[in-house]
Amino acid sequence: MFIDSSVRKAARSLKSPTSPNFAPLEWSSLVDKFKCDLSDYRLITTAIWIASQSARLRVSRLSLDPCVLGPASSTILAVASLNRQADVALRRQIKSMRRASRKDPGFIPSTDELASRPINFHETGQSLALEDVIDAAGDLIEGWLFDAAKEIASHNKRHDGFSLIDIARRAVAYYSVQRGLHNLWQQALWEAWHIDGAKGKMLWMPEDPKLATMFHAWLIRARSNSAEQYFLEEDIWRNFPREVRRKLSLRRTVVRLERQRGKSSRLIVDRPRALDKVPHYAMSRANLEASYLGDFLDQRFPKNPELSCEILLRAWYIIADAVQFLLGDVAGREFDNVNDVRGWACVLRRSDLVSVLIDALECTKQVSECVVEFLTWAPGVYKGLWGAPIVQIPGRQEVCLAGAILKGANMIRSAEIWMEKGGLSDSLAAHSRGESYEAGLRKKMLAKLQGNILLNDYSMVNFAIKKSKNFPEEIDLLIRLGSLLIVGEVKCFLFPSDPREKFNHLKKLEKAAGQALNKASAVKSNKHYIASLLGVDRSKMENMKIVPLVVVNQGFGTSLMIGGCRITDEKFLSLYLGSGSYYGNAIKVANEGLYPISEDIYSSQREAEETFEAMLENPPPLKRFIDRLQWSSFPFPTASGEPLKCATTILSDLSVEERRFAENTVRAIKQSSHQ
């Protein structure tokens, strides 16, 4: 699973091929220093190829510097471009969903499709989900912002003959390729992707296609879970009385933009009035509470005691409401003039933003300024715009708002970024955080077992087994399911978002698997002691099968087998122990609500025991994505003019059988609702 040779370890200390200081001789010398295999040679040749592409890209910049307007105007144009790209992508997604539901306008096939339906971009040949579009746009614009921030204002630069839209398009094209080369290199270095020219065409492909497919499946499952939770909350919202809706909404937020003749427009803060539709804040709050981050939302940050995820979440959506009104005047426009560009960039005075947050958050000026500072982007800030969508305009008392991020970000990822930045990371305060999570997980698993009418032969230790003179290891989770003894190593990790984080995450899972195996071995050698904890006869312990597990808080790594230990996640283990069936998908019917579709996984105690390990290996909530992921490719531009064909997986449409089943279900729902 891990491709981590001596050459790769040495390569990580060398200058990246995307750097202007790349030294090709240092890379070619790796062949002499180490015994190289095919994977190592591929890495070295890939590095040299990417370096040549990066060098030619830097030369191409001379035709029109993307920062030709100077640091302030370039920053504004960059954020405006990001917001407009997201607006175009959103409109295309809406059209795509309308086409998908044209046969029955009241029917949306599934939450999977809502989360991952690809948008076709004929200009580039790519098909991307909306979240991927926003990710890519945010990443490429960040390169532009970085260059603009370090740019020195100059009156010698000229852009005669180029309009604002021309400069924006050229800049986006330049930074798209720059970011693309960076991403290719990260994939090569950490995930062992490489260039294959064996068939006469340049192909970008992984050495381990199965693992690459799993990476995408884990991501899509996380998005689908989030989308499903979103729509469940929307259904619940309909049944809430108005006073409950009021309590769950923002107390105060931006409600309109007041235009003043001869003066700047003013953002007006008040109580939100329209509560018929569930607010994005309420849905995101509920989604976070339902996730592994729920216990930490109100916890103050060690590095920023004035702040917590809850305060930042409220501020985020207050600012997002402001963006909605600021973009109202420019929707559908190009960059015809400076005012249009400033409108798309959501420019406002920093002091005005501070005042809005003082009013809406009902906080002090100190707290408001701390919030703005924490959410302000700067070169090198942790995870960039995804945790900090406010962009300071160089040399001015104004900021831009990255509306694409504020309206389209995955809030679990943003909250993870805030926690890391604020000091609530995996490394800081990890012991107390881990113990809190483990205790909550044990409580949840016991409740699931007790509520499962199909299970009648089980027992569980509802506390952590500490290392002592009676037992040589510490065990987080110990469950007897009939003749199976589940020995769980529980881990609370952040979901990885880039190749390096994925690599490190797999390394952490490998270490956790080793710990689980050691604990399983200790259980095997101390069955009498374990029998006393579980309250079962010693004789019954002799024939039990010990199943070592790593149980993680989120789904990255689920189903992997590492050294004889299976990886699973809290959601699936909870699902399996809680019922013999699960809601594998859901159908969204306009004006009718969300209807989960139930699927059976076992029907008796015996079957639960017999299928447990097979289900861990191929869990249905993950399998439904793996089965629909198909390999395709998209073109990446190169200096030679011949595109690099990049392999990628895309989620295929529902099968004819699945769609027919969904349509029949919708028809039955509508008929029953009218009777």
Side-chain angles (χ1 to χ4, degrees):
M1 182 171 60
F2 299 107
I3 301 176
D4 194 26
S5 65
S6 298
V7 170
R8 289 182 178 276
K9 291 176 181 176
R12 290 168 194 149
S13 64
L14 300 180
K15 286 291 183 182
S16 164
T18 58
S19 167
N21 298 320
F22 176 76
L25 290 179
E26 289 183 353
W27 283 84
S28 58
S29 69
L30 294 175
V31 176
D32 300 323
K33 292 180 181 178
F34 301 99
K35 184 178 180 180
C36 295
D37 60 14
L38 178 59
S39 177
D40 296 326
Y41 283 118
R42 284 171 169 170
L43 178 70
I44 294 169
T45 55
T46 295
I48 293 172
W49 181 84
I50 290 177
S52 69
Q53 296 296 308
S54 294
R56 292 182 184 183
L57 180 65
R58 285 190 290 273
V59 171
S60 74
R61 179 172 177 151
L62 298 176
S63 62
L64 178 63
D65 189 338
C67 297
V68 68
L69 298 174
S73 296
S74 294
T75 296
I76 296 170
L77 188 58
V79 177
S81 298
L82 169 61
N83 290 342
R84 191 172 181 281
Q85 281 188 76
D87 180 74
V88 170
L90 178 60
R91 292 174 188 275
R92 290 190 182 186
Q93 189 201 44
I94 292 170
K95 288 182 180 179
S96 174
M97 293 306 300
R98 284 175 178 167
R99 284 195 297 268
S101 59
R102 194 166 287 163
K103 291 182 180 178
D104 186 345
F107 164 56
I108 297 175
S110 69
T111 53
D112 297 349
E113 297 200 43
L114 288 165
S116 302
R117 173 173 283 274
I119 306 167
N120 294 319
F121 288 86
H122 303 294
E123 305 94 325
T124 62
Q126 291 178 271
S127 294
L128 298 171
L130 180 63
E131 192 167 332
D132 291 326
V133 174
I134 295 173
D135 280 358
D139 287 344
L140 76 89
I141 292 300
E142 208 160 343
W144 192 356
L145 291 174
F146 182 86
D147 285 350
K150 67 180 182 181
E151 181 78 8
I152 299 173
S154 173
H155 298 292
N156 296 324
K157 292 185 177 181
R158 300 183 63 84
H159 53 91
D160 296 346
F162 292 106
S163 66
L164 291 171
I165 194 67
D166 287 335
I167 296 171
R169 285 172 178 162
R170 284 177 173 249
V172 167
Y174 173 85
Y175 288 108
S176 293
V177 177
Q178 182 190 72
R179 187 66 189 185
L181 290 171
H182 170 81
N183 290 342
L184 292 179
W185 175 240
Q186 292 303 301
Q187 278 190 313
L189 188 60
W190 299 103
E191 297 179 19
W193 286 61
H194 62 278
I195 295 174
D196 187 339
K199 296 181 180 180
K201 291 186 177 181
M202 296 176 62
L203 303 175
W204 182 254
M205 57 192 299
E207 287 194 24
D208 189 342
K210 183 178 179 180
L211 186 59
T213 301
M214 295 299 292
F215 281 172
H216 196 183
W218 293 327
L219 176 61
I220 293 176
R221 181 186 170 212
R223 289 178 179 175
S224 180
N225 288 339
S226 180
E228 184 175 330
Q229 184 66 36
Y230 185 98
F231 286 105
L232 284 172
E233 292 300 327
E234 189 176 50
D235 275 2
I236 294 169
W237 186 264
R238 290 193 184 97
N239 297 317
F240 282 150
R242 193 168 183 81
E243 59 270 18
V244 175
R245 296 184 187 185
R246 175 70 65 190
K247 184 177 180 181
L248 295 176
S249 303
L250 289 168
R251 279 174 50 85
R252 296 174 64 78
T253 188
V254 176
V255 296
R256 68 179 188 277
L257 184 67
E258 188 177 88
R259 294 169 180 80
Q260 305 174 100
R261 183 174 296 179
K263 298 181 181 179
S264 299
S265 299
R266 190 164 65 98
L267 294 167
I268 305 300
V269 173
D270 204 342
R271 293 178 66 184
R273 294 181 178 83
L275 295 176
D276 294 333
K277 286 189 175 182
V278 55
H280 292 303
Y281 163 77
M283 280 192 282
S284 290
R285 184 68 163 84
N287 212 346
L288 286 167
E289 285 179 333
S291 76
Y292 68 95
L293 299 175
D295 293 336
F296 308 103
L297 296 184
D298 293 316
Q299 192 168 339
R300 297 285 175 157
F301 295 160
K303 294 181 180 179
N304 305 85
E306 302 92 343
L307 304 180
S308 66
C309 283
E310 167 58 24
I311 293 171
L312 292 172
L313 185 69
R314 287 163 55 202
W316 185 282
Y317 281 103
I318 290 164
I319 300 170
D321 285 342
V323 164
Q324 178 180 343
F325 293 104
L326 291 169
L327 288 177
D329 287 342
V330 293
R333 292 188 191 175
E334 291 274 1
F335 295 161
D336 295 327
N337 53 58
V338 172
N339 286 335
D340 283 348
V341 174
R342 286 175 62 86
W344 276 110
C346 300
V347 175
L348 74 162
R349 288 190 295 268
R350 188 183 184 95
S351 59
D352 289 346
L353 181 59
V354 170
S355 297
V356 164
L357 291 177
I358 291 172
D359 192 352
L361 290 173
E362 300 175 289
C363 66
T364 65
K365 183 179 180 182
Q366 179 182 350
V367 171
S368 179
E369 288 178 338
C370 187
V371 168
V372 172
E373 182 62 29
F374 192 91
L375 294 179
T376 295
W377 180 89
V381 69
Y382 179 67
K383 294 294 181 182
L385 291 169
W386 305 108
I390 302 170
V391 181
Q392 180 69 49
I393 300 175
R396 299 186 188 177
Q397 299 301 312
E398 293 177 315
V399 296
C400 300
L401 303 178
I405 308 297
L406 286 157
K407 296 193 293 181
N410 179 327
M411 292 314 300
I412 289 179
R413 175 170 65 168
S414 294
E416 288 173 341
I417 294 169
W418 301 336
M419 290 171 68
E420 181 78 32
K421 187 177 174 182
L424 288 176
S425 65
D426 285 335
S427 56
L428 296 175
H431 186 64
S432 60
R433 177 180 173 182
E435 285 189 348
S436 173
Y437 175 71
E438 291 165 16
L441 183 138
R442 284 191 294 270
K443 184 177 180 181
K444 180 182 293 185
M445 296 303 159
L446 182 58
K448 290 292 183 180
L449 286 165
Q450 292 172 338
N452 190 339
I453 60 174
L454 296 177
L455 301 181
N456 51 37
D457 183 19
Y458 66 86
S459 53
M460 174 180 167
V461 178
N462 62 357
F463 54 84
I465 300 173
K466 299 296 183 182
K467 189 174 182 179
S468 66
K469 62 180 181 180
N470 297 318
F471 195 72
E473 293 283 350
E474 183 172 315
I475 297 181
D476 303 330
L477 184 67
L478 189 64
I479 300 173
R480 181 185 65 82
L481 183 61
S483 60
L484 300 179
L485 191 57
I486 302 166
V487 181
E489 175 69 11
V490 178
K491 294 296 182 184
C492 186
F493 295 142
L494 301 183
F495 197 98
S497 60
D498 59 46
R500 182 173 183 173
E501 287 184 0
K502 292 174 187 174
F503 177 88
N504 289 334
H505 190 96
L506 292 176
K507 282 289 191 183
K508 288 189 287 187
L509 291 179
E510 183 181 49
K511 181 179 178 181
Q515 293 172 327
L517 290 166
N518 289 339
K519 293 171 184 185
S521 178
V523 167
K524 186 176 182 180
S525 302
N526 294 271
K527 286 185 176 180
H528 294 331
Y529 176 68
I530 296 300
S532 67
L533 293 177
L534 288 169
V536 298
D537 293 336
R538 294 182 179 182
S539 59
K540 196 171 184 177
M541 288 289 296
E542 294 304 321
N543 296 322
M544 279 192 190
K545 183 174 183 180
I546 299 173
V547 181
L549 280 184
V550 173
V551 184
V552 291
N553 51 311
Q554 35 74 15
F556 191 95
T558 291
S559 83
L560 290 180
M561 176 71 84
I562 303 178
C565 177
R566 187 69 65 183
I567 312 297
T568 191
D569 61 88
E570 174 195 333
K571 188 175 180 69
F572 181 67
L573 185 60
S574 172
L575 179 155
Y576 195 90
L577 297 179
S579 174
S581 61
Y582 85 107
Y583 295 113
N585 211 333
I587 297 173
K588 175 74 174 173
V589 184
N591 302 318
E592 299 286 346
L594 190 72
Y595 289 85
I597 301 173
S598 177
E599 298 180 32
D600 293 334
I601 47 179
Y602 60 82
S603 58
S604 65
Q605 168 84 34
R606 180 179 177 181
E607 197 174 348
E609 296 174 40
E610 291 176 347
T611 61
F612 182 67
E613 290 180 275
M615 286 294 177
L616 291 175
E617 180 181 3
N618 201 10
L622 186 64
K623 182 178 183 298
R624 75 175 194 262
F625 297 114
I626 295 172
D627 289 349
R628 287 177 60 195
L629 281 173
Q630 298 179 349
W631 282 95
S632 181
S633 65
F634 65 89
F636 182 83
T638 69
S640 68
E642 180 186 355
L644 175 67
K645 301 290 285 185
C646 296
T648 185
T649 49
I650 60 173
L651 192 68
S652 66
D653 285 337
L654 293 171
S655 67
V656 174
E657 292 78 12
E658 289 172 313
R659 189 169 291 278
R660 186 176 294 122
F661 172 78
E663 289 170 348
N664 290 337
T665 303
V666 171
R667 198 170 291 113
I669 290 168
K670 289 188 172 183
Q671 287 174 354
S672 64
S673 66
H674 294 304
Q675 289 176 355

